[in-house]
Amino acid sequence: MSPPVPALPTPRDVYFFATCVVDMFEPEAGLDAIAVLEHAGLRVTFPEAQTCCGQPAYTTGFPEEALRVARAQLDLFPEPWPIVVPSGSCAGMIHHHWPRLFAHDAELSKRARDIASRVVEFTDFVVGTLGLDLADADDAPVKVALHTSCSARREMDTLRSGRAVLAALPGVELAHHDHESECCGFGGTFSVKHPEISAAMAGDKLDAIAATGCSTFVSADCGCLLNLNSTLAKRGTPLRGRHVASFLRERLRIASVEHGP
Amino acid sequence: MSAVRPVADPLAFKDNARIVVADPVLRRSFRGAMDFLTDKRAAQFPDVAGFNRLRALGESIRQYALANLPQLLGQLEERLAERGVHVHWAENAEDANRLFLEIAQRHDAKLMVKGKSMVSEEIELNHRMAEHGIDCVETDMGEYILQLDHDRPSHIIMPAIHKTKEDVARIFAEHIPGAGYTEDVNELIAIGRRALRDKFATAKIGVSGVNFLVAETGSIVLVENEGNGRLSTTVPDVHIAITGIEKVIAKLEHVAPLFTLLTRSATGQAVTTYLNVISGPRREGEKDGPREQHLILLDNGRTQAYREERFRATLQCIRCGACMNHCPVYARVGGLSYGTTYPGPIGAIISPHLMNLESTRDLPTASSLCGACGEVCPVGIPIPDLLMRLREAARHDEPVAQQRKALKGQGGARRMLEVAAWKGWRLVYANSRIYRLVTWLATRCRRLLPGRQAGWTGTRVALRPAPRSLRERLAQRRPTPIPMDDTSKPAA
């Protein structure tokens, strides 16, 4: 499983980098991911000054702006703890692109590489490090499709961990959809620069997911979910996608962190 | 094909694409064709590790060639001269067409037969020759169909992939004397081949493209399936090959791995029907082959990509078309929408150098950066990275970091509104205090945000922030939050 998870057999502490999309648009996904991590006995630190990995500007052709934003995150993870990110896309940005972004400066580059080496996508962390016992989870039968973001699949190689989480949950049937490896059409600013093409991709993706007869679908990326759920809402159909952390929390019957200890 | 043909101009990309994605028949047809090609390729590379090893070899062969490009081109020219091949250098399309015309006029040729060559499309050879009364006939079946219908190739390997068999039946019945109307594919192919035979027999000049040029041996390597390439390069008295300067490789042994990567990636074939290794014109005592052979090496903007280290990988391409077959954007808009000779992901990264970045400015953004192209590229071109670098160059007037000189049309997509938006974004996101204030306001004013959001709400409901941000909800949960690690001075 990549990226290499830091050599901590049983980490006590982790950082949580929520991402800007989760912070502003999908806070439940962040709360649910934290609930799962805490349920596994971890102390989760949320550095309050965190904002964004810089990806939106980076992929649009404004790397200098991305660099300034990424720079503002570099000091937020001083302890050698894993940094759990509930997004393959933002984790990919930090893991692969931060070291390049800071390559011109030896000192910053060193810190970026250190952070990059500790970044781990949520499902990858759950499967590779947490070793959660999922057998006790709710076993009510449910058919679920999985949408793996392109960055999760191709940059972070976490397709298998996403599938592994679902496979380990009793009662969950994974519904494979047609052209599963294909992009949902989000692509950050691509979705608004080429709206008709993006919409055609989102439409095809949702038709394929709906054709499986699943009752819900999950993804580890809120960018894709914003795109797909906003399209579904406009269509007026009841199907919705959820962050895999929310689905996992519910199946594990873990209370939301807000009602927790 | 729908009644409205996409406009042959990359500035029309968005309009072209809009029309095509709204046409369900075209969408189904493209999807079916791309699925067919991607399945065939997948069957040829059953094991990922094996593909990765072969790809690493192909990549290193191409990178080595580019790293030594001037020397290899010099060596190639020497070897070819020894073999009696005339080598010509063309800086642009005009130069190349002038060379064709001079050779044709010297031989008083009124007819040329041409094997498939995207570089000849790039210089619009057929049209330029027609202006001088020279008939340049396409002999690749797909290209021939398009030429009869005054259409353009929509794919670099399967040029007529946007045509149905009904289209071809109609085109042949209309343009080939005595053909009659049939939708039987084998019969159609036979009709086309019969019509072309006469052309091979009477043309004075044969034109071809090139897949690889081998510097150490002076060999011109041509990969094809229909035999028209062999006929075009051997039957007429004069053979003119044309290609880009980047096609050179160092050694003959480099052909084998590139050949297998090419055929398996392009059409899912283990080998093609023909592999032509051309080693000069007919010699004393030989009974066939052209009496005169020329190679035209075209630059046409390639040195711009070569000059800039950060764009050089663009030239590694061996023109297999796998990137377009796997591209979700190409599969939905089709090749003609791009309005360039080379469509799809490779087109989006090479066209800005061949044309300029201003007129091609919408092509690098026409990608969700999903990475499918980079994943299948048989020579490891980091296509998504190159797309991002072009996006950057299109939005900055001056050369950016690690760029030596401005590209043609550099800054061609720079719009002050977008620049200001990203400066504003940076101000907010690089300063956590401002960010928290903005998030606080956005969540409170979520109902006041516009219900119509340009580009987003055509097929989606408007984006609305949650009632409370994650950080607020976490803060509410912890009356005494973990001491804030506020070392993030505004970096801006």
Side-chain angles (χ1 to χ4, degrees), chain B residues 337-372:
Chain B
S337 293
Y338 291 82
T340 49
T341 304
Y342 306 92
I346 182 62
I349 61 169
I350 189 120
S351 305
H353 301 291
L354 306 185
M355 303 171 82
N356 67 73
L357 194 46
E358 183 162 15
S359 64
T360 54
R361 63 182 178 236
D362 289 331
L363 305 186
T365 61
S367 163
S368 63
L369 300 178
C370 76

Side-chain angles (χ1 to χ4, degrees), chain B residues 277-427:
Chain B
V277 182
I278 298 164
S279 315
R282 184 189 302 200
R283 272 167 230 144
E284 277 293 312
E286 287 181 347
K287 294 203 166 103
D288 55 13
R291 293 175 195 280
E292 192 177 306
Q293 204 158 47
H294 300 265
L295 173 67
I296 298 176
L297 288 163
L298 178 69
D299 177 352
N300 203 30
R302 287 164 175 80
T303 46
Q304 174 177 283
Y306 171 78
R307 179 186 78 206
E308 299 292 341
E309 186 65 39
R310 62 196 323 252
F311 294 114
R312 190 180 283 180
T314 310
L315 301 178
Q316 280 165 225
C317 179
I318 56 172
R319 303 284 189 270
C320 71
C323 59
M324 50 198 79
N325 300 343
H326 290 77
C327 176
V329 173
Y330 177 92
R332 284 172 181 80
V333 305
L336 294 180
S337 293
Y338 291 82
T340 49
T341 304
Y342 306 92
I346 182 62
I349 61 169
I350 189 120
S351 305
H353 301 291
L354 306 185
M355 303 171 82
N356 67 73
L357 194 46
E358 183 162 15
S359 64
T360 54
R361 63 182 178 236
D362 289 331
L363 305 186
T365 61
S367 163
S368 63
L369 300 178
C370 76
C373 50
E375 187 175 60
V376 297
C377 176
V379 289
I381 303 174
I383 299 175
D385 288 344
L386 291 162
L387 290 169
M388 285 195 287
R389 287 168 201 170
L390 287 166
R391 291 177 183 187
E392 183 186 6
R395 281 160 188 77
H396 293 79
D397 290 328
E398 301 294 320
V400 296
Q402 298 160 52
Q403 191 188 329
R404 294 171 56 199
K405 281 164 72 178
L407 304 183
K408 281 177 292 180
Q410 174 114 8
R414 187 172 174 83
R415 301 289 173 269
M416 288 332 286
L417 195 64
E418 192 185 23
V419 172
W422 286 109
K423 287 204 185 306
W425 175 85
R426 168 179 125 183
L427 179 73

Side-chain angles (χ1 to χ4, degrees), chain B residues 125-146:
Chain B
L125 177 67
N126 298 354
H127 300 294
R128 297 294 87 77
M129 292 304 107
E131 287 165 6
H132 296 276
I134 299 165
D135 194 10
C136 189
V137 178
E138 298 285 353
T139 63
D140 172 271
M141 193 56 65
E143 295 280 2
Y144 180 57
I145 293 164
L146 298 176

Side-chain angles (χ1 to χ4, degrees), chain B residues 405-484:
Chain B
K405 281 164 72 178
L407 304 183
K408 281 177 292 180
Q410 174 114 8
R414 187 172 174 83
R415 301 289 173 269
M416 288 332 286
L417 195 64
E418 192 185 23
V419 172
W422 286 109
K423 287 204 185 306
W425 175 85
R426 168 179 125 183
L427 179 73
V428 173
Y429 285 82
N431 185 327
S432 68
R433 286 199 178 84
I434 300 178
Y435 172 78
R436 264 172 290 182
L437 178 65
V438 168
T439 324
W440 190 90
L441 283 170
T443 50
R444 264 60 181 186
C445 305
R446 57 194 296 268
R447 295 281 162 215
L448 302 179
L449 289 172
R452 283 186 58 181
Q453 297 164 352
W456 182 261
T457 44
T459 55
R460 307 176 188 92
V461 296
L463 280 178
R464 298 223 179 277
R468 294 290 179 272
S469 69
L470 174 66
R471 74 194 51 234
E472 270 194 82
R473 290 176 67 174
L474 283 173
Q476 281 161 9
R477 173 199 180 211
R478 300 190 187 103
T480 46
I482 291 171
M484 206 179 81

Side-chain angles (χ1 to χ4, degrees), chain B residues 93-388:
Chain B
E94 201 188 330
D95 284 357
N97 282 313
R98 192 184 316 115
L99 287 162
F100 272 102
L101 188 63
E102 281 168 12
I103 299 166
Q105 286 173 341
R106 200 158 60 235
H107 291 273
D108 197 23
K110 292 289 168 218
L111 177 65
M112 296 179 178
V113 284
K114 176 151 80 74
K116 188 164 163 36
S117 155
M118 290 309 292
V119 175
S120 75
E121 299 284 342
E122 195 182 317
I123 64 169
E124 300 185 315
L125 177 67
N126 298 354
H127 300 294
R128 297 294 87 77
M129 292 304 107
E131 287 165 6
H132 296 276
I134 299 165
D135 194 10
C136 189
V137 178
E138 298 285 353
T139 63
D140 172 271
M141 193 56 65
E143 295 280 2
Y144 180 57
I145 293 164
L146 298 176
Q147 188 174 33
L148 290 178
D149 199 34
H150 306 288
D151 202 354
R152 298 178 294 123
S154 66
H155 190 285
I156 62 171
I157 299 295
M158 310 277 175
I161 201 151
H162 58 290
K163 298 285 193 209
T164 62
K165 67 175 189 289
E166 292 80 12
D167 290 333
V168 178
R170 175 188 56 76
I171 294 163
F172 278 11
E174 241 171 65
H175 296 281
I176 301 179
Y181 186 93
T182 174
E183 288 178 9
D184 182 291
V185 173
N186 288 329
E187 181 58 25
L188 285 169
I189 296 285
I191 292 169
R193 290 176 74 101
R194 272 197 301 275
L196 287 170
R197 277 293 143 157
D198 288 344
K199 307 284 184 188
F200 286 119
T202 48
K204 278 196 180 154
I205 295 178
V207 178
S208 77
V210 175
N211 291 93
F212 311 110
L213 293 165
V214 184
E216 70 169 354
T217 54
S219 312
I220 298 170
V221 182
L222 182 62
V223 179
E224 47 132 358
N225 276 313
E226 298 176 15
N228 66 310
R230 183 157 300 176
L231 284 169
S232 302
T233 56
T234 54
V235 176
D237 270 349
V238 181
H239 168 216
I240 309 172
I242 178 163
T243 195
I245 51 169
E246 81 281 20
K247 287 285 172 69
V248 69
I249 52 176
K251 293 173 179 296
L252 193 61
E253 70 194 48
H254 292 169
V255 171
L258 292 180
F259 173 65
T260 194
L261 280 165
L262 173 63
T263 64
R264 295 207 255 169
S265 301
T267 48
Q269 291 173 285
V271 290
T272 44
T273 318
Y274 294 87
L275 171 63
N276 305 283
V277 182
I278 298 164
S279 315
R282 184 189 302 200
R283 272 167 230 144
E284 277 293 312
E286 287 181 347
K287 294 203 166 103
D288 55 13
R291 293 175 195 280
E292 192 177 306
Q293 204 158 47
H294 300 265
L295 173 67
I296 298 176
L297 288 163
L298 178 69
D299 177 352
N300 203 30
R302 287 164 175 80
T303 46
Q304 174 177 283
Y306 171 78
R307 179 186 78 206
E308 299 292 341
E309 186 65 39
R310 62 196 323 252
F311 294 114
R312 190 180 283 180
T314 310
L315 301 178
Q316 280 165 225
C317 179
I318 56 172
R319 303 284 189 270
C320 71
C323 59
M324 50 198 79
N325 300 343
H326 290 77
C327 176
V329 173
Y330 177 92
R332 284 172 181 80
V333 305
L336 294 180
S337 293
Y338 291 82
T340 49
T341 304
Y342 306 92
I346 182 62
I349 61 169
I350 189 120
S351 305
H353 301 291
L354 306 185
M355 303 171 82
N356 67 73
L357 194 46
E358 183 162 15
S359 64
T360 54
R361 63 182 178 236
D362 289 331
L363 305 186
T365 61
S367 163
S368 63
L369 300 178
C370 76
C373 50
E375 187 175 60
V376 297
C377 176
V379 289
I381 303 174
I383 299 175
D385 288 344
L386 291 162
L387 290 169
M388 285 195 287

